[in-house]
Amino acid sequence: MLQEFRKIISFLKERKIIKIAILLHQNADADAIASAMGLKELIHHFIPSVSIQLFASSLNSLTGNLCSHFKINVYDNLIIDDYEAFFFCDVNNLLQLGELILNQEFPGDKPFFIIDHHSFHEFSERADFTIIDQSFSSASEIISYIFYQSGISLPKNIATLLLAGIMSDSRRFLITSKHIFEVTNFLTKYGDYEQALSVLATPVSLSERVAKIKGMQRAILKKIDDDLIAISHVSSFESAVARSLTSVGTDLAIVVSKQKPSQLRISLRCKKSFAKKHSIDLGEIAYQLSLSLGGTGGGHITAAGINLPNIGDLPNDIDKLKHEVLKLILDKVY
Ligand SMILES: [Mn+2]
């Protein structure tokens, strides 16, 4: 990996390239930003005179905080003519760039490189050099591994960012890889682990917290054999409430949200073990129910939602409504 990176550096030096743009996927996440900042630092280590800028068509809400915390500038107005070479970081195709390239010819006659951990895309065959390895849990881990292999020391903020990138994409080490622990250990020599954890914590609004607590208080529990099922109602944040109910131990959580004048949203969450035990797919159940109730619905195996523009024949009284919805869903499960 270090060897491949050295090839890129030699290439940049030979061509006397001094203006580089690092391109990130739309809705850039913590891994995208962190790996790009790490890459920038790495390139600067070998070629101090080069100027490097980060581009993403949009940031996700968490990354906004991350950028202001670490004073990182990410631009959304890329002019290809202004740069001599491009790095794709945490992304390996043009589609994921969103509107960054829009109506511009890419890359023209300019070189570009890809550093990524996502599955293969044929676009990457066009790159001058690639470092693409799906066995790494994040692009941040790839960049950190190059630092680790080369023994280059890291500034504190870069090491902390890379820690945050690794923790974010690995879902706090739920998804691991061959090098993740040695690389993390290496980064903690320079960075601040506690700070990396805290920048990843998303602040939860007061209204969401209130909705969660009310949702818990109003939950009606039903025990069927060893299964614990809960149904509750809130006026908003129904999916967050359903998630909270499963996180405290409910196997299946159903949360209804009645909207004015007669709209109804239903959020469903269940434990993986519950879906497996009953061979169910909540997305499929939501879809089926939405067809019979006259709305839209769908989702995944353990998380789904139903949206009814009109409550129709369902009871208006909230308690009766909850019982009716519970019955409809349980009929699909048992
Ligand atoms: Mn990533």
Side-chain angles (χ1 to χ4, degrees), residues 258-319:
K258 244 175 96 182
Q259 305 292 315
K260 282 184 181 126
S262 63
Q263 207 190 331
L264 182 71
R265 298 196 302 249
I266 306 167
S267 190
L268 308 170
R269 291 288 183 284
C270 76
K271 294 263 173 72
K272 259 189 203 159
S273 54
F274 181 83
K276 206 172 162 188
K277 179 178 168 188
H278 297 284
S279 306
I280 54 154
D281 178 340
L282 287 185
E284 186 57 31
I285 291 178
Y287 176 68
Q288 294 295 340
L289 283 175
S290 73
L291 289 183
S292 56
L293 297 170
T296 54
H300 309 279
I301 291 175
T302 59
I306 302 167
N307 227 321
L308 305 179
N310 199 306
I311 189 166
D313 291 339
L314 290 169
N316 231 318
D317 176 80
I318 191 70
D319 290 322

Side-chain angles (χ1 to χ4, degrees), residues 21 64 82 86 101 129 141 154 161 170 188 209 219 242 248 268 272 280 292 294 299 301 318-319 328:
D82 289 351
F86 303 90
I101 301 288
F129 289 98
E141 190 190 335
L154 289 112
L161 265 169
S170 71
T188 53
R209 282 180 281 155
V248 295
L268 308 170
K272 259 189 203 159
I280 54 154
S292 56
I301 291 175
I318 191 70
D319 290 322
L328 286 170

Side-chain angles (χ1 to χ4, degrees), residues 31 90 117 136-143 162 165-166 169-170:
D31 181 38
D90 196 35
H117 69 115
F136 280 71
S137 66
S138 59
S140 297
E141 190 190 335
I142 294 178
I143 296 291
L162 287 169
I166 289 173
D169 262 28
S170 71

Side-chain angles (χ1 to χ4, degrees), residues 55-333:
F55 290 92
S57 64
S58 56
L59 301 177
N60 74 20
S61 59
L62 174 67
T63 343
N65 297 339
L66 198 83
C67 286
S68 53
H69 187 95
F70 288 97
K71 300 189 173 57
I72 300 168
N73 290 317
V74 181
Y75 302 93
D76 60 3
N77 54 343
L78 175 70
I79 297 168
I80 289 171
D81 285 345
D82 289 351
Y83 295 88
E84 298 164 335
F86 303 90
F87 278 85
F88 282 60
C89 200
D90 196 35
V91 59
N92 64 14
N93 63 79
L94 287 176
L95 230 65
Q96 293 291 325
L97 296 183
E99 300 194 339
L100 210 52
I101 301 288
L102 209 69
N103 302 328
Q104 301 181 78
E105 199 204 329
F106 185 88
D109 54 356
K110 293 169 182 177
F112 74 98
F113 321 98
I114 299 178
I115 298 180
D116 191 29
H117 69 115
H118 293 105
S119 57
F120 175 80
H121 190 283
E122 58 189 17
F123 174 76
S124 46
E125 286 175 350
R126 291 171 51 192
D128 293 82
F129 289 98
T130 60
I131 300 177
I132 301 176
D133 194 333
Q134 277 189 75
S135 73
F136 280 71
S137 66
S138 59
S140 297
E141 190 190 335
I142 294 178
I143 296 291
S144 305
Y145 191 64
I146 299 172
F147 272 106
Y148 175 62
Q149 281 189 312
S150 58
I152 302 168
S153 60
L154 289 112
K156 187 179 174 189
N157 64 335
I158 299 295
T160 305
L161 265 169
L162 287 169
L163 280 169
I166 289 173
M167 281 193 263
S168 169
D169 262 28
S170 71
R171 296 207 269 138
R172 316 291 191 278
F173 304 106
L174 273 178
I175 302 161
T176 60
S177 59
K178 199 172 157 197
H179 300 292
I180 194 166
F181 294 115
E182 59 182 321
V183 157
T184 301
N185 182 48
F186 167 74
L187 291 174
T188 53
K189 288 181 186 139
Y190 304 99
D192 184 336
Y193 189 89
E194 294 289 326
Q195 193 191 356
L197 258 183
S198 74
V199 293
L200 290 177
T202 25
V204 181
S205 68
L206 182 70
S207 42
E208 181 171 341
R209 282 180 281 155
V210 170
K212 282 178 180 172
I213 295 163
K214 280 189 181 170
M216 294 276 174
Q217 288 174 323
R218 293 170 181 161
I220 300 165
L221 278 181
K222 200 172 168 71
K223 197 170 165 289
I224 303 177
D225 302 326
D226 280 341
D227 299 334
L228 209 50
I229 293 139
I231 182 157
S232 187
H233 77 277
V234 281
S235 54
S236 53
F237 299 106
E238 60 278 3
S239 55
V241 175
R243 209 164 43 235
S244 298
L245 283 166
T246 52
S247 78
V248 295
T250 320
D251 295 295
L252 171 66
I254 305 157
V255 181
V256 300
S257 174
K258 244 175 96 182
Q259 305 292 315
K260 282 184 181 126
S262 63
Q263 207 190 331
L264 182 71
R265 298 196 302 249
I266 306 167
S267 190
L268 308 170
R269 291 288 183 284
C270 76
K271 294 263 173 72
K272 259 189 203 159
S273 54
F274 181 83
K276 206 172 162 188
K277 179 178 168 188
H278 297 284
S279 306
I280 54 154
D281 178 340
L282 287 185
E284 186 57 31
I285 291 178
Y287 176 68
Q288 294 295 340
L289 283 175
S290 73
L291 289 183
S292 56
L293 297 170
T296 54
H300 309 279
I301 291 175
T302 59
I306 302 167
N307 227 321
L308 305 179
N310 199 306
I311 189 166
D313 291 339
L314 290 169
N316 231 318
D317 176 80
I318 191 70
D319 290 322
K320 284 181 186 153
L321 174 71
K322 276 154 74 177
H323 279 104
E324 184 61 29
V325 169
L326 178 66
K327 189 181 166 297
L328 286 170
I329 290 163
L330 293 186
D331 281 349
K332 297 270 182 198
V333 176

